[in-house]
Amino acid sequence: WYGDHRDLHVRSRRQRQMCIRDRYIGGIYTDIVSNTIKYNEEDGIHILNQGSRTTIQQNTIIDNEENAIHVLSNHVSIKLNTIDGDTSEMAILLNTAGSASVTNNTIEGGSQGIKVQNSTNVFIYNNTVKSNSWYGIYLLLGSHSAEIKSNTVKDNEDDGIYLVSSNSADIADNTIEDNTNTNLEKDDNGNIIKIVVDSSCESITHSKTASEA
């Protein structure tokens, strides 16, 4: 399925569940709301670079073999989705997706939870990211000026939050617990005083990050 239209709305009817396969979106102001998207051999939802200002909301996205959501466009909003990605690569992949927002999603399983590359001013807020086989939240390749706030990142098999070559991030009020590699540095009282990032990153700030359980 390929969409290349302005003001496109894809919404399931209240009376029944809509099951969607092979979705590629190339038009601006698209809404993808309240669908079940599962068992695709590629991405569950793929937003092309022409698909700016798309909203992906309240969908259930299950076991797509590549990425559950793959975004290549700016100003995309991803919110209130449930992603179960046991067979997926990334649950959410933002690539050259400036000013995207990822809020209030539940992400479980898959290789990585939220991966952001070459995407500036991304806002990641109040998500639950758990039980991924690699990183929970991973920023790299110039993903500068991100805000990562009020997320729960737990039970991932590598680092909870990991930044590489991504400057000026604001990381605050996250709960990071029971990840195999914690990327945390604590003071003598057990309070987190630093989220360890790659030496290529500059101007990283954080505050009131919950101590590891």
Side-chain angles (χ1 to χ4, degrees), residues 28-49:
I28 64 173
Y29 293 106
T30 298
D31 294 333
I32 303 172
V33 182
S34 301
N35 303 287
T36 296
I37 301 170
K38 61 185 180 179
Y39 307 147
N40 294 290
E41 294 180 359
E42 297 182 354
D43 297 327
I45 298 173
H46 188 111
I47 308 300
L48 302 171
N49 58 8

mmCIF file of all heavy atoms in Angstrom, residues 28-49:
data_model
loop_
_atom_site.group_PDB
_atom_site.id
_atom_site.type_symbol
_atom_site.label_atom_id
_atom_site.label_comp_id
_atom_site.label_asym_id
_atom_site.label_seq_id
_atom_site.Cartn_x
_atom_site.Cartn_y
_atom_site.Cartn_z
ATOM 1 N N ILE A 28 1.936 14.659 2.658
ATOM 2 C CA ILE A 28 1.983 15.411 3.902
ATOM 3 C C ILE A 28 0.621 15.394 4.586
ATOM 4 O O ILE A 28 -0.401 15.119 3.977
ATOM 5 C CB ILE A 28 2.459 16.850 3.665
ATOM 6 C CG1 ILE A 28 1.466 17.630 2.793
ATOM 7 C CG2 ILE A 28 3.837 16.853 3.025
ATOM 8 C CD1 ILE A 28 1.818 19.103 2.686
ATOM 9 N N TYR A 29 0.641 15.696 5.887
ATOM 10 C CA TYR A 29 -0.570 15.768 6.716
ATOM 11 C C TYR A 29 -1.389 14.476 6.671
ATOM 12 O O TYR A 29 -2.614 14.500 6.585
ATOM 13 C CB TYR A 29 -1.436 16.954 6.312
ATOM 14 C CG TYR A 29 -0.794 18.292 6.599
ATOM 15 C CD1 TYR A 29 -0.269 19.061 5.564
ATOM 16 C CD2 TYR A 29 -0.698 18.766 7.908
ATOM 17 C CE1 TYR A 29 0.333 20.285 5.823
ATOM 18 C CE2 TYR A 29 -0.088 19.986 8.165
ATOM 19 C CZ TYR A 29 0.424 20.740 7.126
ATOM 20 O OH TYR A 29 1.028 21.949 7.389
ATOM 21 N N THR A 30 -0.724 13.351 6.736
ATOM 22 C CA THR A 30 -1.402 12.057 6.801
ATOM 23 C C THR A 30 -1.631 11.675 8.262
ATOM 24 O O THR A 30 -0.736 11.851 9.091
ATOM 25 C CB THR A 30 -0.556 10.980 6.110
ATOM 26 O OG1 THR A 30 -0.393 11.316 4.738
ATOM 27 C CG2 THR A 30 -1.209 9.613 6.219
ATOM 28 N N ASP A 31 -2.809 11.137 8.568
ATOM 29 C CA ASP A 31 -3.103 10.587 9.890
ATOM 30 C C ASP A 31 -3.269 9.083 9.764
ATOM 31 O O ASP A 31 -4.082 8.611 8.970
ATOM 32 C CB ASP A 31 -4.399 11.174 10.450
ATOM 33 C CG ASP A 31 -4.309 12.660 10.740
ATOM 34 O OD1 ASP A 31 -3.200 13.145 11.010
ATOM 35 O OD2 ASP A 31 -5.350 13.316 10.708
ATOM 36 N N ILE A 32 -2.522 8.324 10.557
ATOM 37 C CA ILE A 32 -2.655 6.861 10.619
ATOM 38 C C ILE A 32 -3.084 6.546 12.043
ATOM 39 O O ILE A 32 -2.288 6.632 12.976
ATOM 40 C CB ILE A 32 -1.336 6.172 10.254
ATOM 41 C CG1 ILE A 32 -0.859 6.609 8.869
ATOM 42 C CG2 ILE A 32 -1.493 4.660 10.299
ATOM 43 C CD1 ILE A 32 0.518 6.115 8.516
ATOM 44 N N VAL A 33 -4.361 6.202 12.229
ATOM 45 C CA VAL A 33 -4.955 6.171 13.558
ATOM 46 C C VAL A 33 -5.747 4.877 13.764
ATOM 47 O O VAL A 33 -6.542 4.475 12.911
ATOM 48 C CB VAL A 33 -5.892 7.384 13.774
ATOM 49 C CG1 VAL A 33 -6.469 7.366 15.186
ATOM 50 C CG2 VAL A 33 -5.176 8.693 13.505
ATOM 51 N N SER A 34 -5.501 4.207 14.894
ATOM 52 C CA SER A 34 -6.330 3.094 15.385
ATOM 53 C C SER A 34 -6.388 1.916 14.416
ATOM 54 O O SER A 34 -7.447 1.359 14.141
ATOM 55 C CB SER A 34 -7.751 3.589 15.699
ATOM 56 O OG SER A 34 -7.716 4.600 16.677
ATOM 57 N N ASN A 35 -5.229 1.517 13.920
ATOM 58 C CA ASN A 35 -5.123 0.346 13.052
ATOM 59 C C ASN A 35 -4.293 -0.748 13.727
ATOM 60 O O ASN A 35 -3.498 -0.482 14.619
ATOM 61 C CB ASN A 35 -4.446 0.726 11.726
ATOM 62 C CG ASN A 35 -5.185 1.826 11.010
ATOM 63 O OD1 ASN A 35 -6.251 1.615 10.454
ATOM 64 N ND2 ASN A 35 -4.619 3.031 11.031
ATOM 65 N N THR A 36 -4.461 -1.969 13.262
ATOM 66 C CA THR A 36 -3.563 -3.061 13.615
ATOM 67 C C THR A 36 -2.690 -3.359 12.410
ATOM 68 O O THR A 36 -3.203 -3.623 11.319
ATOM 69 C CB THR A 36 -4.342 -4.318 14.024
ATOM 70 O OG1 THR A 36 -5.091 -4.032 15.204
ATOM 71 C CG2 THR A 36 -3.396 -5.486 14.301
ATOM 72 N N ILE A 37 -1.377 -3.309 12.604
ATOM 73 C CA ILE A 37 -0.421 -3.448 11.502
ATOM 74 C C ILE A 37 0.556 -4.544 11.916
ATOM 75 O O ILE A 37 1.318 -4.379 12.862
ATOM 76 C CB ILE A 37 0.304 -2.106 11.253
ATOM 77 C CG1 ILE A 37 -0.730 -1.013 10.919
ATOM 78 C CG2 ILE A 37 1.329 -2.243 10.142
ATOM 79 C CD1 ILE A 37 -0.154 0.377 10.904
ATOM 80 N N LYS A 38 0.538 -5.678 11.206
ATOM 81 C CA LYS A 38 1.296 -6.812 11.717
ATOM 82 C C LYS A 38 1.762 -7.750 10.607
ATOM 83 O O LYS A 38 1.218 -7.780 9.512
ATOM 84 C CB LYS A 38 0.448 -7.587 12.724
ATOM 85 C CG LYS A 38 -0.843 -8.174 12.173
ATOM 86 C CD LYS A 38 -1.658 -8.828 13.295
ATOM 87 C CE LYS A 38 -2.952 -9.411 12.787
ATOM 88 N NZ LYS A 38 -3.716 -10.055 13.887
ATOM 89 N N TYR A 39 2.818 -8.497 10.950
ATOM 90 C CA TYR A 39 3.329 -9.617 10.169
ATOM 91 C C TYR A 39 3.781 -9.219 8.763
ATOM 92 O O TYR A 39 3.674 -10.008 7.822
ATOM 93 C CB TYR A 39 2.288 -10.742 10.076
ATOM 94 C CG TYR A 39 1.738 -11.195 11.403
ATOM 95 C CD1 TYR A 39 0.424 -11.630 11.504
ATOM 96 C CD2 TYR A 39 2.534 -11.196 12.550
ATOM 97 C CE1 TYR A 39 -0.097 -12.056 12.721
ATOM 98 C CE2 TYR A 39 2.023 -11.601 13.778
ATOM 99 C CZ TYR A 39 0.716 -12.034 13.854
ATOM 100 O OH TYR A 39 0.202 -12.439 15.063
ATOM 101 N N ASN A 40 4.306 -8.010 8.603
ATOM 102 C CA ASN A 40 4.856 -7.615 7.308
ATOM 103 C C ASN A 40 6.299 -8.089 7.181
ATOM 104 O O ASN A 40 7.034 -8.148 8.164
ATOM 105 C CB ASN A 40 4.786 -6.098 7.163
ATOM 106 C CG ASN A 40 3.352 -5.608 7.103
ATOM 107 O OD1 ASN A 40 2.658 -5.842 6.136
ATOM 108 N ND2 ASN A 40 2.908 -4.940 8.165
ATOM 109 N N GLU A 41 6.719 -8.369 5.960
ATOM 110 C CA GLU A 41 8.084 -8.816 5.727
ATOM 111 C C GLU A 41 9.065 -7.661 5.707
ATOM 112 O O GLU A 41 10.275 -7.875 5.782
ATOM 113 C CB GLU A 41 8.161 -9.594 4.416
ATOM 114 C CG GLU A 41 7.376 -10.907 4.448
ATOM 115 C CD GLU A 41 7.463 -11.669 3.148
ATOM 116 O OE1 GLU A 41 8.121 -11.171 2.215
ATOM 117 O OE2 GLU A 41 6.881 -12.775 3.072
ATOM 118 N N GLU A 42 8.564 -6.433 5.599
ATOM 119 C CA GLU A 42 9.427 -5.253 5.664
ATOM 120 C C GLU A 42 8.970 -4.394 6.843
ATOM 121 O O GLU A 42 8.713 -4.909 7.921
ATOM 122 C CB GLU A 42 9.393 -4.515 4.324
ATOM 123 C CG GLU A 42 9.954 -5.365 3.181
ATOM 124 C CD GLU A 42 9.968 -4.634 1.857
ATOM 125 O OE1 GLU A 42 9.432 -3.506 1.781
ATOM 126 O OE2 GLU A 42 10.509 -5.190 0.885
ATOM 127 N N ASP A 43 8.893 -3.058 6.663
ATOM 128 C CA ASP A 43 8.445 -2.182 7.734
ATOM 129 C C ASP A 43 6.929 -2.259 7.905
ATOM 130 O O ASP A 43 6.187 -2.439 6.927
ATOM 131 C CB ASP A 43 8.814 -0.724 7.424
ATOM 132 C CG ASP A 43 10.312 -0.504 7.345
ATOM 133 O OD1 ASP A 43 11.053 -1.181 8.085
ATOM 134 O OD2 ASP A 43 10.738 0.372 6.562
ATOM 135 N N GLY A 44 6.487 -2.055 9.134
ATOM 136 C CA GLY A 44 5.056 -1.940 9.354
ATOM 137 C C GLY A 44 4.509 -0.640 8.770
ATOM 138 O O GLY A 44 3.544 -0.646 8.007
ATOM 139 N N ILE A 45 5.108 0.493 9.154
ATOM 140 C CA ILE A 45 4.778 1.809 8.592
ATOM 141 C C ILE A 45 6.078 2.442 8.141
ATOM 142 O O ILE A 45 7.048 2.493 8.896
ATOM 143 C CB ILE A 45 4.096 2.708 9.637
ATOM 144 C CG1 ILE A 45 2.772 2.112 10.100
ATOM 145 C CG2 ILE A 45 3.873 4.107 9.072
ATOM 146 C CD1 ILE A 45 2.129 2.873 11.249
ATOM 147 N N HIS A 46 6.096 2.944 6.916
ATOM 148 C CA HIS A 46 7.293 3.561 6.349
ATOM 149 C C HIS A 46 6.905 4.947 5.822
ATOM 150 O O HIS A 46 6.135 5.052 4.870
ATOM 151 C CB HIS A 46 7.842 2.687 5.220
ATOM 152 C CG HIS A 46 9.169 3.125 4.688
ATOM 153 N ND1 HIS A 46 10.322 2.395 4.891
ATOM 154 C CD2 HIS A 46 9.537 4.210 3.964
ATOM 155 C CE1 HIS A 46 11.337 3.014 4.300
ATOM 156 N NE2 HIS A 46 10.873 4.128 3.736
ATOM 157 N N ILE A 47 7.420 5.991 6.456
ATOM 158 C CA ILE A 47 7.119 7.365 6.051
ATOM 159 C C ILE A 47 8.272 7.872 5.191
ATOM 160 O O ILE A 47 9.401 8.021 5.656
ATOM 161 C CB ILE A 47 6.926 8.281 7.266
ATOM 162 C CG1 ILE A 47 5.901 7.686 8.241
ATOM 163 C CG2 ILE A 47 6.507 9.682 6.816
ATOM 164 C CD1 ILE A 47 4.532 7.474 7.663
ATOM 165 N N LEU A 48 7.982 8.120 3.919
ATOM 166 C CA LEU A 48 8.997 8.599 2.987
ATOM 167 C C LEU A 48 9.337 10.062 3.263
ATOM 168 O O LEU A 48 8.662 10.746 4.039
ATOM 169 C CB LEU A 48 8.485 8.435 1.551
ATOM 170 C CG LEU A 48 8.102 7.000 1.156
ATOM 171 C CD1 LEU A 48 7.418 6.993 -0.202
ATOM 172 C CD2 LEU A 48 9.328 6.104 1.146
ATOM 173 N N ASN A 49 10.372 10.573 2.589
ATOM 174 C CA ASN A 49 10.813 11.934 2.888
ATOM 175 C C ASN A 49 9.812 12.998 2.456
ATOM 176 O O ASN A 49 9.904 14.145 2.864
ATOM 177 C CB ASN A 49 12.203 12.212 2.293
ATOM 178 C CG ASN A 49 12.255 12.022 0.790
ATOM 179 O OD1 ASN A 49 11.228 11.827 0.142
ATOM 180 N ND2 ASN A 49 13.454 12.075 0.237
#
